Amino acid sequence: MKYPAIQNYINGKFVNASVSTTMDVVSPLDGNLLSKVPMSSAKDLNTAVQAALAAFPTWSKTPIKERVQVFFRYKYLLEKNLKELAELCSEENGKTYSESVAEIEKCIELTEFATSLPQLVTGELLEVSRGVECRTEHVPLGVVASIVPFNFPAMVPNWTIPNAIALGNCMIMKPSEKVPLSCGRLAELLKEAGLPDGVFNIVHGDVEIVEAICDHPKIEAVSFVGSTKVAKIVYQRATNHYKRCLALGGAKNHLMVLPDAIPGMTAQNVAASMSGCAGQRCMAASAMIGVGNVDPIVDKICEEARKIIPGVNLGAVINKESKERIERYITEAEKDGAIILVDGRNTKVSGKENGTYVGPTVIDYVTPEMSVAREEIFGPVISIIRTNTVDEALTIENANPYGNAASVFTQNGGMARYIIDRASAGMIGVNVGVPVPREPFSFGGWNESKFGVGDITGKSSIEFWTKLKKSTIKWNAEAGVNWMS
Ligand code: NAD
């Protein structure tokens, strides 16, 4: 085992869980055992909540300009430790080193946004009648929780940590049990940056901890990022306990390619979008809808896909079950009559035989009813559906239950606008394969890709992590008299 057994992080210290059950943490890159993660109990969660509750009065009363100083230092520490953090992220998640560097750079950008919050959360003030004013202020909620998935071990935690904490809340983080190491390192950096003990806590585990978070009477808000199946469970359970909840789910993103799209640029974007992070991104292109004759573009996509080499510029998928699931989808499509143009099944990387790799896969002549067209595959696979018109393409895109992202590749501005108006997704790309809005814009999908109001990052997150206090004030207490009268 490369690293010591993982512990929870409560009140500024790493502590053992109250139970001895653990799960192995295995590197997808080579199958080596990295560590063991505790499957904590509701009792451990409660200990963390009590620590967060104790820290809240002082932290929430610390002026925001002072609170964000921690995040200026944290940003510097992320920069200083970028290489080590990126290596850890690759090791536990399986993505390539350069993808992990990009992930840590995104953490830095998210933190940079949090340092600007004092400029963005000023309240409003208006004299609503003579001598009487109304003012608003954003007030922190209290103890909040963040439940995160495996595919971005550092970035998704940082969607919530800097904003929620800079806005005055105290947090319980529940990392994915598949990639629990990066979060522990983030806790150390937050402490080094001067975050007071108890403001940020980590409780490891799986279903039991997630359920305990939803049920705990002292947790005010729950943010969740993961699959749609679990997002629904968490959203229902947390709101059933009258908590504020924002639950981001899975995705099936469609790229619509029009015949006038620039072939080289489009092919590069499609290939990068479907294969980046081994296709394990909620913003990955999963289905390409070719409108009219897109044969030259499909040829180029195959050329691009063949340049993507597992173990070199393509990472591993998270585990054996994922590899098997992805390969099953490809086999099913083949049986259903689709044509496999580039086949990533049975991939082995020499010297890393226990790694879980799937090569880039391009499947053509997929029809909308096939499972590869309908379901989230979460692997480096693109399913190409052929249509004759833009409206047919939109009908297919609109019919999918998810709504994270959709993109169009065209040189026709009017046609791009037509698709922006009609695609049923929260994030739209025009000639952009992974249309992640950068801060201060916010991240969040529609339909079954998100449950709850608002988005998780950027300006929209301010509303989620705070409640608005409205005061109506007459400073001159004398009846019938004010300074204007
Ligand atoms: P997951 O839903 O399996 O797990 C997410 C979290 O929920 C983990 O912390 C896990 O421990 C916990 N969990 C798992 N099963 C549970 C259950 N039955 N009850 C309660 N808690 C449970 O997701 P994952 O496999 O870790 O991540 C991949 C999924 O996340 C994909 O569907 C992907 O699209 C999605 N995702 C979405 C976004 C987005 O912004 N919409 C971003 C990243 C990932």
PDB file of all heavy atoms in Angstrom, residues 147-151 156 159 174-178 205-207 210 224-228 230 233-234 248-251 282 376 378 404 443 449, ligand 1:
ATOM      1  N   ILE A 147     -21.214  16.694  -1.482  1.00  0.00           N
ATOM      2  CA  ILE A 147     -21.006  15.275  -1.818  1.00  0.00           C
ATOM      3  C   ILE A 147     -20.523  15.233  -3.264  1.00  0.00           C
ATOM      4  O   ILE A 147     -21.166  15.810  -4.148  1.00  0.00           O
ATOM      5  CB  ILE A 147     -22.329  14.481  -1.672  1.00  0.00           C
ATOM      6  CG1 ILE A 147     -22.898  14.645  -0.258  1.00  0.00           C
ATOM      7  CG2 ILE A 147     -22.125  13.007  -2.016  1.00  0.00           C
ATOM      8  CD1 ILE A 147     -24.385  14.296  -0.151  1.00  0.00           C
ATOM      9  N   VAL A 148     -19.393  14.582  -3.508  1.00  0.00           N
ATOM     10  CA  VAL A 148     -18.753  14.716  -4.824  1.00  0.00           C
ATOM     11  C   VAL A 148     -18.486  13.353  -5.487  1.00  0.00           C
ATOM     12  O   VAL A 148     -18.423  12.330  -4.814  1.00  0.00           O
ATOM     13  CB  VAL A 148     -17.459  15.556  -4.706  1.00  0.00           C
ATOM     14  CG1 VAL A 148     -17.775  16.990  -4.329  1.00  0.00           C
ATOM     15  CG2 VAL A 148     -16.493  14.952  -3.697  1.00  0.00           C
ATOM     16  N   PRO A 149     -18.307  13.379  -6.833  1.00  0.00           N
ATOM     17  CA  PRO A 149     -18.098  12.129  -7.589  1.00  0.00           C
ATOM     18  C   PRO A 149     -16.611  11.818  -7.788  1.00  0.00           C
ATOM     19  O   PRO A 149     -15.752  12.578  -7.345  1.00  0.00           O
ATOM     20  CB  PRO A 149     -18.745  12.470  -8.928  1.00  0.00           C
ATOM     21  CG  PRO A 149     -18.433  13.917  -9.114  1.00  0.00           C
ATOM     22  CD  PRO A 149     -18.409  14.543  -7.748  1.00  0.00           C
ATOM     23  N   PHE A 150     -16.335  10.739  -8.535  1.00  0.00           N
ATOM     24  CA  PHE A 150     -14.943  10.303  -8.698  1.00  0.00           C
ATOM     25  C   PHE A 150     -14.209  11.019  -9.822  1.00  0.00           C
ATOM     26  O   PHE A 150     -12.978  11.008  -9.876  1.00  0.00           O
ATOM     27  CB  PHE A 150     -14.882   8.777  -8.946  1.00  0.00           C
ATOM     28  CG  PHE A 150     -15.229   8.389 -10.364  1.00  0.00           C
ATOM     29  CD1 PHE A 150     -14.295   8.512 -11.386  1.00  0.00           C
ATOM     30  CD2 PHE A 150     -16.487   7.905 -10.697  1.00  0.00           C
ATOM     31  CE1 PHE A 150     -14.614   8.167 -12.702  1.00  0.00           C
ATOM     32  CE2 PHE A 150     -16.815   7.563 -12.002  1.00  0.00           C
ATOM     33  CZ  PHE A 150     -15.871   7.703 -13.004  1.00  0.00           C
ATOM     34  N   ASN A 151     -14.938  11.650 -10.767  1.00  0.00           N
ATOM     35  CA  ASN A 151     -14.254  11.992 -12.023  1.00  0.00           C
ATOM     36  C   ASN A 151     -13.374  13.235 -11.957  1.00  0.00           C
ATOM     37  O   ASN A 151     -12.495  13.396 -12.794  1.00  0.00           O
ATOM     38  CB  ASN A 151     -15.255  12.066 -13.191  1.00  0.00           C
ATOM     39  CG  ASN A 151     -16.288  13.132 -13.019  1.00  0.00           C
ATOM     40  OD1 ASN A 151     -16.670  13.462 -11.902  1.00  0.00           O
ATOM     41  ND2 ASN A 151     -16.766  13.683 -14.105  1.00  0.00           N
ATOM     42  N   VAL A 156     -14.099  19.186  -8.595  1.00  0.00           N
ATOM     43  CA  VAL A 156     -15.494  19.271  -8.137  1.00  0.00           C
ATOM     44  C   VAL A 156     -15.551  19.676  -6.650  1.00  0.00           C
ATOM     45  O   VAL A 156     -16.364  20.537  -6.294  1.00  0.00           O
ATOM     46  CB  VAL A 156     -16.305  18.002  -8.479  1.00  0.00           C
ATOM     47  CG1 VAL A 156     -17.687  18.074  -7.844  1.00  0.00           C
ATOM     48  CG2 VAL A 156     -16.463  17.868 -10.002  1.00  0.00           C
ATOM     49  N   TRP A 159     -15.465  23.258  -6.625  1.00  0.00           N
ATOM     50  CA  TRP A 159     -16.672  23.976  -7.064  1.00  0.00           C
ATOM     51  C   TRP A 159     -17.374  24.560  -5.840  1.00  0.00           C
ATOM     52  O   TRP A 159     -18.041  25.577  -5.922  1.00  0.00           O
ATOM     53  CB  TRP A 159     -17.645  23.018  -7.760  1.00  0.00           C
ATOM     54  CG  TRP A 159     -17.365  22.763  -9.211  1.00  0.00           C
ATOM     55  CD1 TRP A 159     -16.390  23.325  -9.981  1.00  0.00           C
ATOM     56  CD2 TRP A 159     -18.099  21.883 -10.069  1.00  0.00           C
ATOM     57  NE1 TRP A 159     -16.475  22.830 -11.263  1.00  0.00           N
ATOM     58  CE2 TRP A 159     -17.505  21.960 -11.348  1.00  0.00           C
ATOM     59  CE3 TRP A 159     -19.195  21.047  -9.878  1.00  0.00           C
ATOM     60  CZ2 TRP A 159     -17.979  21.216 -12.433  1.00  0.00           C
ATOM     61  CZ3 TRP A 159     -19.663  20.311 -10.960  1.00  0.00           C
ATOM     62  CH2 TRP A 159     -19.056  20.397 -12.228  1.00  0.00           C
ATOM     63  N   LYS A 174     -17.923  15.113   1.604  1.00  0.00           N
ATOM     64  CA  LYS A 174     -17.963  13.654   1.474  1.00  0.00           C
ATOM     65  C   LYS A 174     -17.354  13.316   0.120  1.00  0.00           C
ATOM     66  O   LYS A 174     -18.019  13.382  -0.915  1.00  0.00           O
ATOM     67  CB  LYS A 174     -19.419  13.169   1.553  1.00  0.00           C
ATOM     68  CG  LYS A 174     -19.619  11.763   2.078  1.00  0.00           C
ATOM     69  CD  LYS A 174     -18.903  10.675   1.313  1.00  0.00           C
ATOM     70  CE  LYS A 174     -19.650  10.204   0.088  1.00  0.00           C
ATOM     71  NZ  LYS A 174     -18.856   9.254  -0.741  1.00  0.00           N
ATOM     72  N   PRO A 175     -16.045  12.957   0.110  1.00  0.00           N
ATOM     73  CA  PRO A 175     -15.394  12.646  -1.176  1.00  0.00           C
ATOM     74  C   PRO A 175     -15.925  11.340  -1.748  1.00  0.00           C
ATOM     75  O   PRO A 175     -16.565  10.548  -1.044  1.00  0.00           O
ATOM     76  CB  PRO A 175     -13.916  12.482  -0.801  1.00  0.00           C
ATOM     77  CG  PRO A 175     -13.788  12.985   0.596  1.00  0.00           C
ATOM     78  CD  PRO A 175     -15.129  12.837   1.237  1.00  0.00           C
ATOM     79  N   SER A 176     -15.631  11.100  -3.014  1.00  0.00           N
ATOM     80  CA  SER A 176     -15.941   9.792  -3.596  1.00  0.00           C
ATOM     81  C   SER A 176     -14.994   8.771  -2.959  1.00  0.00           C
ATOM     82  O   SER A 176     -13.787   9.014  -2.855  1.00  0.00           O
ATOM     83  CB  SER A 176     -15.720   9.823  -5.108  1.00  0.00           C
ATOM     84  OG  SER A 176     -15.638   8.495  -5.586  1.00  0.00           O
ATOM     85  N   GLU A 177     -15.555   7.629  -2.562  1.00  0.00           N
ATOM     86  CA  GLU A 177     -14.725   6.592  -1.943  1.00  0.00           C
ATOM     87  C   GLU A 177     -13.714   6.020  -2.937  1.00  0.00           C
ATOM     88  O   GLU A 177     -12.738   5.389  -2.546  1.00  0.00           O
ATOM     89  CB  GLU A 177     -15.616   5.477  -1.366  1.00  0.00           C
ATOM     90  CG  GLU A 177     -16.466   4.707  -2.359  1.00  0.00           C
ATOM     91  CD  GLU A 177     -17.751   5.439  -2.794  1.00  0.00           C
ATOM     92  OE1 GLU A 177     -17.831   6.664  -2.627  1.00  0.00           O
ATOM     93  OE2 GLU A 177     -18.651   4.756  -3.321  1.00  0.00           O
ATOM     94  N   LYS A 178     -13.940   6.299  -4.253  1.00  0.00           N
ATOM     95  CA  LYS A 178     -12.993   5.791  -5.256  1.00  0.00           C
ATOM     96  C   LYS A 178     -11.747   6.679  -5.348  1.00  0.00           C
ATOM     97  O   LYS A 178     -10.692   6.218  -5.765  1.00  0.00           O
ATOM     98  CB  LYS A 178     -13.683   5.725  -6.626  1.00  0.00           C
ATOM     99  CG  LYS A 178     -14.803   4.702  -6.666  1.00  0.00           C
ATOM    100  CD  LYS A 178     -15.561   4.755  -7.973  1.00  0.00           C
ATOM    101  CE  LYS A 178     -16.764   3.841  -7.903  1.00  0.00           C
ATOM    102  NZ  LYS A 178     -17.958   4.421  -8.503  1.00  0.00           N
ATOM    103  N   GLY A 205     -16.749   7.749   3.205  1.00  0.00           N
ATOM    104  CA  GLY A 205     -17.725   6.668   3.283  1.00  0.00           C
ATOM    105  C   GLY A 205     -18.535   6.601   2.016  1.00  0.00           C
ATOM    106  O   GLY A 205     -18.157   7.192   1.005  1.00  0.00           O
ATOM    107  N   ASP A 206     -19.634   5.874   2.089  1.00  0.00           N
ATOM    108  CA  ASP A 206     -20.492   5.821   0.899  1.00  0.00           C
ATOM    109  C   ASP A 206     -21.950   6.091   1.263  1.00  0.00           C
ATOM    110  O   ASP A 206     -22.255   7.104   1.892  1.00  0.00           O
ATOM    111  CB  ASP A 206     -20.266   4.536   0.090  1.00  0.00           C
ATOM    112  CG  ASP A 206     -20.599   3.275   0.886  1.00  0.00           C
ATOM    113  OD1 ASP A 206     -21.029   3.401   2.042  1.00  0.00           O
ATOM    114  OD2 ASP A 206     -20.448   2.165   0.335  1.00  0.00           O
ATOM    115  N   VAL A 207     -22.843   5.175   0.911  1.00  0.00           N
ATOM    116  CA  VAL A 207     -24.278   5.448   1.032  1.00  0.00           C
ATOM    117  C   VAL A 207     -24.670   5.900   2.443  1.00  0.00           C
ATOM    118  O   VAL A 207     -25.426   6.868   2.611  1.00  0.00           O
ATOM    119  CB  VAL A 207     -25.083   4.178   0.642  1.00  0.00           C
ATOM    120  CG1 VAL A 207     -26.567   4.434   0.706  1.00  0.00           C
ATOM    121  CG2 VAL A 207     -24.692   3.709  -0.753  1.00  0.00           C
ATOM    122  N   VAL A 210     -23.900   9.521   3.048  1.00  0.00           N
ATOM    123  CA  VAL A 210     -24.744  10.402   2.224  1.00  0.00           C
ATOM    124  C   VAL A 210     -26.151  10.483   2.834  1.00  0.00           C
ATOM    125  O   VAL A 210     -26.725  11.568   2.968  1.00  0.00           O
ATOM    126  CB  VAL A 210     -24.780   9.900   0.758  1.00  0.00           C
ATOM    127  CG1 VAL A 210     -25.792  10.696  -0.062  1.00  0.00           C
ATOM    128  CG2 VAL A 210     -23.399  10.000   0.134  1.00  0.00           C
ATOM    129  N   PHE A 224     -24.748  18.247  -4.227  1.00  0.00           N
ATOM    130  CA  PHE A 224     -24.390  16.901  -4.682  1.00  0.00           C
ATOM    131  C   PHE A 224     -23.976  16.979  -6.137  1.00  0.00           C
ATOM    132  O   PHE A 224     -24.606  17.675  -6.938  1.00  0.00           O
ATOM    133  CB  PHE A 224     -25.587  15.947  -4.546  1.00  0.00           C
ATOM    134  CG  PHE A 224     -25.339  14.613  -5.199  1.00  0.00           C
ATOM    135  CD1 PHE A 224     -24.763  13.570  -4.485  1.00  0.00           C
ATOM    136  CD2 PHE A 224     -25.654  14.402  -6.544  1.00  0.00           C
ATOM    137  CE1 PHE A 224     -24.500  12.341  -5.107  1.00  0.00           C
ATOM    138  CE2 PHE A 224     -25.394  13.179  -7.160  1.00  0.00           C
ATOM    139  CZ  PHE A 224     -24.823  12.144  -6.437  1.00  0.00           C
ATOM    140  N   VAL A 225     -22.936  16.245  -6.501  1.00  0.00           N
ATOM    141  CA  VAL A 225     -22.566  16.078  -7.909  1.00  0.00           C
ATOM    142  C   VAL A 225     -22.295  14.594  -8.125  1.00  0.00           C
ATOM    143  O   VAL A 225     -21.505  13.996  -7.388  1.00  0.00           O
ATOM    144  CB  VAL A 225     -21.314  16.912  -8.284  1.00  0.00           C
ATOM    145  CG1 VAL A 225     -20.987  16.722  -9.764  1.00  0.00           C
ATOM    146  CG2 VAL A 225     -21.520  18.387  -7.968  1.00  0.00           C
ATOM    147  N   GLY A 226     -22.957  13.996  -9.112  1.00  0.00           N
ATOM    148  CA  GLY A 226     -22.763  12.571  -9.386  1.00  0.00           C
ATOM    149  C   GLY A 226     -23.752  12.110 -10.433  1.00  0.00           C
ATOM    150  O   GLY A 226     -24.205  12.899 -11.274  1.00  0.00           O
ATOM    151  N   SER A 227     -24.123  10.851 -10.376  1.00  0.00           N
ATOM    152  CA  SER A 227     -25.036  10.297 -11.387  1.00  0.00           C
ATOM    153  C   SER A 227     -26.471  10.787 -11.139  1.00  0.00           C
ATOM    154  O   SER A 227     -26.828  11.155 -10.016  1.00  0.00           O
ATOM    155  CB  SER A 227     -24.993   8.774 -11.312  1.00  0.00           C
ATOM    156  OG  SER A 227     -25.431   8.359 -10.034  1.00  0.00           O
ATOM    157  N   THR A 228     -27.293  10.716 -12.183  1.00  0.00           N
ATOM    158  CA  THR A 228     -28.689  11.153 -12.041  1.00  0.00           C
ATOM    159  C   THR A 228     -29.440  10.274 -11.045  1.00  0.00           C
ATOM    160  O   THR A 228     -30.247  10.779 -10.255  1.00  0.00           O
ATOM    161  CB  THR A 228     -29.379  11.147 -13.423  1.00  0.00           C
ATOM    162  OG1 THR A 228     -28.796  12.202 -14.190  1.00  0.00           O
ATOM    163  CG2 THR A 228     -30.875  11.367 -13.327  1.00  0.00           C
ATOM    164  N   VAL A 230     -28.422   8.791  -8.348  1.00  0.00           N
ATOM    165  CA  VAL A 230     -28.156   9.182  -6.954  1.00  0.00           C
ATOM    166  C   VAL A 230     -28.577  10.636  -6.708  1.00  0.00           C
ATOM    167  O   VAL A 230     -29.063  10.967  -5.621  1.00  0.00           O
ATOM    168  CB  VAL A 230     -26.673   8.924  -6.581  1.00  0.00           C
ATOM    169  CG1 VAL A 230     -26.427   9.263  -5.122  1.00  0.00           C
ATOM    170  CG2 VAL A 230     -26.283   7.471  -6.855  1.00  0.00           C
ATOM    171  N   ILE A 233     -32.083  10.589  -5.626  1.00  0.00           N
ATOM    172  CA  ILE A 233     -32.234  10.070  -4.254  1.00  0.00           C
ATOM    173  C   ILE A 233     -31.865  11.174  -3.251  1.00  0.00           C
ATOM    174  O   ILE A 233     -32.585  11.443  -2.292  1.00  0.00           O
ATOM    175  CB  ILE A 233     -31.318   8.830  -4.024  1.00  0.00           C
ATOM    176  CG1 ILE A 233     -31.734   7.663  -4.933  1.00  0.00           C
ATOM    177  CG2 ILE A 233     -31.280   8.421  -2.557  1.00  0.00           C
ATOM    178  CD1 ILE A 233     -30.763   6.479  -4.940  1.00  0.00           C
ATOM    179  N   VAL A 234     -30.714  11.824  -3.510  1.00  0.00           N
ATOM    180  CA  VAL A 234     -30.216  12.840  -2.568  1.00  0.00           C
ATOM    181  C   VAL A 234     -31.159  14.043  -2.540  1.00  0.00           C
ATOM    182  O   VAL A 234     -31.492  14.559  -1.470  1.00  0.00           O
ATOM    183  CB  VAL A 234     -28.769  13.255  -2.949  1.00  0.00           C
ATOM    184  CG1 VAL A 234     -28.325  14.492  -2.191  1.00  0.00           C
ATOM    185  CG2 VAL A 234     -27.816  12.096  -2.700  1.00  0.00           C
ATOM    186  N   LEU A 248     -26.530  17.890  -8.912  1.00  0.00           N
ATOM    187  CA  LEU A 248     -26.166  17.785 -10.323  1.00  0.00           C
ATOM    188  C   LEU A 248     -26.015  16.321 -10.697  1.00  0.00           C
ATOM    189  O   LEU A 248     -25.366  15.554  -9.971  1.00  0.00           O
ATOM    190  CB  LEU A 248     -24.850  18.537 -10.594  1.00  0.00           C
ATOM    191  CG  LEU A 248     -24.995  20.049 -10.839  1.00  0.00           C
ATOM    192  CD1 LEU A 248     -25.580  20.767  -9.653  1.00  0.00           C
ATOM    193  CD2 LEU A 248     -23.667  20.659 -11.231  1.00  0.00           C
ATOM    194  N   GLY A 249     -26.621  15.949 -11.817  1.00  0.00           N
ATOM    195  CA  GLY A 249     -26.633  14.544 -12.219  1.00  0.00           C
ATOM    196  C   GLY A 249     -25.815  14.261 -13.463  1.00  0.00           C
ATOM    197  O   GLY A 249     -24.937  15.036 -13.842  1.00  0.00           O
ATOM    198  N   GLY A 250     -26.127  13.158 -14.106  1.00  0.00           N
ATOM    199  CA  GLY A 250     -25.366  12.697 -15.264  1.00  0.00           C
ATOM    200  C   GLY A 250     -25.688  13.470 -16.527  1.00  0.00           C
ATOM    201  O   GLY A 250     -26.400  14.490 -16.492  1.00  0.00           O
ATOM    202  N   ALA A 251     -25.185  12.971 -17.658  1.00  0.00           N
ATOM    203  CA  ALA A 251     -25.312  13.732 -18.898  1.00  0.00           C
ATOM    204  C   ALA A 251     -25.246  12.827 -20.113  1.00  0.00           C
ATOM    205  O   ALA A 251     -24.732  11.709 -20.047  1.00  0.00           O
ATOM    206  CB  ALA A 251     -24.181  14.759 -18.977  1.00  0.00           C
ATOM    207  N   CYS A 282     -18.722  15.035 -17.296  1.00  0.00           N
ATOM    208  CA  CYS A 282     -20.150  15.255 -17.516  1.00  0.00           C
ATOM    209  C   CYS A 282     -20.365  16.209 -18.681  1.00  0.00           C
ATOM    210  O   CYS A 282     -21.488  16.394 -19.120  1.00  0.00           O
ATOM    211  CB  CYS A 282     -20.798  15.803 -16.256  1.00  0.00           C
ATOM    212  SG  CYS A 282     -20.151  17.407 -15.828  1.00  0.00           S
ATOM    213  N   GLU A 376     -25.995   7.313 -20.784  1.00  0.00           N
ATOM    214  CA  GLU A 376     -24.663   7.858 -20.479  1.00  0.00           C
ATOM    215  C   GLU A 376     -23.684   6.691 -20.448  1.00  0.00           C
ATOM    216  O   GLU A 376     -23.874   5.737 -19.696  1.00  0.00           O
ATOM    217  CB  GLU A 376     -24.687   8.569 -19.121  1.00  0.00           C
ATOM    218  CG  GLU A 376     -23.332   9.151 -18.766  1.00  0.00           C
ATOM    219  CD  GLU A 376     -23.328   9.973 -17.484  1.00  0.00           C
ATOM    220  OE1 GLU A 376     -23.999   9.583 -16.510  1.00  0.00           O
ATOM    221  OE2 GLU A 376     -22.633  11.002 -17.458  1.00  0.00           O
ATOM    222  N   PHE A 378     -20.081   7.178 -20.292  1.00  0.00           N
ATOM    223  CA  PHE A 378     -18.985   7.619 -19.431  1.00  0.00           C
ATOM    224  C   PHE A 378     -17.681   6.892 -19.762  1.00  0.00           C
ATOM    225  O   PHE A 378     -17.005   6.326 -18.904  1.00  0.00           O
ATOM    226  CB  PHE A 378     -19.355   7.432 -17.946  1.00  0.00           C
ATOM    227  CG  PHE A 378     -19.023   8.655 -17.128  1.00  0.00           C
ATOM    228  CD1 PHE A 378     -19.406   9.916 -17.548  1.00  0.00           C
ATOM    229  CD2 PHE A 378     -18.311   8.550 -15.935  1.00  0.00           C
ATOM    230  CE1 PHE A 378     -19.108  11.048 -16.799  1.00  0.00           C
ATOM    231  CE2 PHE A 378     -18.007   9.678 -15.179  1.00  0.00           C
ATOM    232  CZ  PHE A 378     -18.406  10.928 -15.619  1.00  0.00           C
ATOM    233  N   ASN A 404     -27.265  18.582 -19.842  1.00  0.00           N
ATOM    234  CA  ASN A 404     -26.089  19.310 -19.363  1.00  0.00           C
ATOM    235  C   ASN A 404     -25.566  20.250 -20.442  1.00  0.00           C
ATOM    236  O   ASN A 404     -25.559  21.458 -20.266  1.00  0.00           O
ATOM    237  CB  ASN A 404     -25.001  18.309 -18.939  1.00  0.00           C
ATOM    238  CG  ASN A 404     -24.407  18.675 -17.602  1.00  0.00           C
ATOM    239  OD1 ASN A 404     -25.103  19.222 -16.740  1.00  0.00           O
ATOM    240  ND2 ASN A 404     -23.134  18.399 -17.410  1.00  0.00           N
ATOM    241  N   PHE A 443     -21.951  27.206 -13.649  1.00  0.00           N
ATOM    242  CA  PHE A 443     -22.008  25.859 -14.209  1.00  0.00           C
ATOM    243  C   PHE A 443     -23.268  25.144 -13.743  1.00  0.00           C
ATOM    244  O   PHE A 443     -23.512  25.034 -12.540  1.00  0.00           O
ATOM    245  CB  PHE A 443     -20.770  25.065 -13.747  1.00  0.00           C
ATOM    246  CG  PHE A 443     -20.640  23.723 -14.410  1.00  0.00           C
ATOM    247  CD1 PHE A 443     -19.763  23.527 -15.460  1.00  0.00           C
ATOM    248  CD2 PHE A 443     -21.419  22.650 -13.989  1.00  0.00           C
ATOM    249  CE1 PHE A 443     -19.652  22.295 -16.087  1.00  0.00           C
ATOM    250  CE2 PHE A 443     -21.319  21.413 -14.603  1.00  0.00           C
ATOM    251  CZ  PHE A 443     -20.433  21.233 -15.657  1.00  0.00           C
ATOM    252  N   SER A 449     -30.172  16.552 -15.615  1.00  0.00           N
ATOM    253  CA  SER A 449     -28.764  16.799 -15.268  1.00  0.00           C
ATOM    254  C   SER A 449     -28.654  17.710 -14.046  1.00  0.00           C
ATOM    255  O   SER A 449     -27.541  17.969 -13.577  1.00  0.00           O
ATOM    256  CB  SER A 449     -28.025  17.437 -16.448  1.00  0.00           C
ATOM    257  OG  SER A 449     -27.888  16.506 -17.493  1.00  0.00           O
TER     258      SER A 449
HETATM  259  P1  NAD B   1     -22.207   8.426  -8.184  1.00  0.00           P
HETATM  260  O1  NAD B   1     -23.558   9.010  -8.287  1.00  0.00           O
HETATM  261  O2  NAD B   1     -22.057   6.959  -8.234  1.00  0.00           O
HETATM  262  O3  NAD B   1     -21.504   8.899  -6.827  1.00  0.00           O
HETATM  263  C1  NAD B   1     -21.504  10.247  -6.413  1.00  0.00           C
HETATM  264  C2  NAD B   1     -21.449  10.299  -4.883  1.00  0.00           C
HETATM  265  O4  NAD B   1     -22.609   9.677  -4.353  1.00  0.00           O
HETATM  266  C3  NAD B   1     -20.246   9.579  -4.299  1.00  0.00           C
HETATM  267  O5  NAD B   1     -19.704  10.361  -3.265  1.00  0.00           O
HETATM  268  C4  NAD B   1     -20.828   8.255  -3.787  1.00  0.00           C
HETATM  269  O6  NAD B   1     -20.184   7.792  -2.637  1.00  0.00           O
HETATM  270  C5  NAD B   1     -22.275   8.608  -3.468  1.00  0.00           C
HETATM  271  N1  NAD B   1     -23.221   7.503  -3.734  1.00  0.00           N
HETATM  272  C6  NAD B   1     -23.103   6.519  -4.663  1.00  0.00           C
HETATM  273  N2  NAD B   1     -24.203   5.732  -4.648  1.00  0.00           N
HETATM  274  C7  NAD B   1     -25.026   6.224  -3.702  1.00  0.00           C
HETATM  275  C8  NAD B   1     -26.325   5.853  -3.231  1.00  0.00           C
HETATM  276  N3  NAD B   1     -26.980   4.804  -3.715  1.00  0.00           N
HETATM  277  N4  NAD B   1     -26.881   6.593  -2.251  1.00  0.00           N
HETATM  278  C9  NAD B   1     -26.242   7.652  -1.750  1.00  0.00           C
HETATM  279  N5  NAD B   1     -25.002   8.043  -2.152  1.00  0.00           N
HETATM  280  C10 NAD B   1     -24.407   7.354  -3.121  1.00  0.00           C
HETATM  281  O7  NAD B   1     -21.327   9.130  -9.330  1.00  0.00           O
HETATM  282  P2  NAD B   1     -19.840   8.787  -9.769  1.00  0.00           P
HETATM  283  O8  NAD B   1     -19.822   7.471 -10.468  1.00  0.00           O
HETATM  284  O9  NAD B   1     -18.884   9.023  -8.649  1.00  0.00           O
HETATM  285  O10 NAD B   1     -19.579   9.968 -10.835  1.00  0.00           O
HETATM  286  C11 NAD B   1     -19.932   9.881 -12.186  1.00  0.00           C
HETATM  287  C12 NAD B   1     -21.276  10.539 -12.442  1.00  0.00           C
HETATM  288  O11 NAD B   1     -21.245  11.887 -12.014  1.00  0.00           O
HETATM  289  C13 NAD B   1     -21.625  10.602 -13.925  1.00  0.00           C
HETATM  290  O12 NAD B   1     -22.979  10.296 -14.091  1.00  0.00           O
HETATM  291  C14 NAD B   1     -21.351  12.045 -14.303  1.00  0.00           C
HETATM  292  O13 NAD B   1     -22.082  12.528 -15.405  1.00  0.00           O
HETATM  293  C15 NAD B   1     -21.739  12.736 -13.045  1.00  0.00           C
HETATM  294  N6  NAD B   1     -21.156  14.066 -12.935  1.00  0.00           N
HETATM  295  C16 NAD B   1     -21.988  15.131 -13.158  1.00  0.00           C
HETATM  296  C17 NAD B   1     -21.476  16.409 -13.113  1.00  0.00           C
HETATM  297  C18 NAD B   1     -22.367  17.589 -13.376  1.00  0.00           C
HETATM  298  O14 NAD B   1     -21.899  18.709 -13.224  1.00  0.00           O
HETATM  299  N7  NAD B   1     -23.622  17.411 -13.752  1.00  0.00           N
HETATM  300  C19 NAD B   1     -20.114  16.619 -12.829  1.00  0.00           C
HETATM  301  C20 NAD B   1     -19.314  15.504 -12.586  1.00  0.00           C
HETATM  302  C21 NAD B   1     -19.848  14.229 -12.655  1.00  0.00           C
END
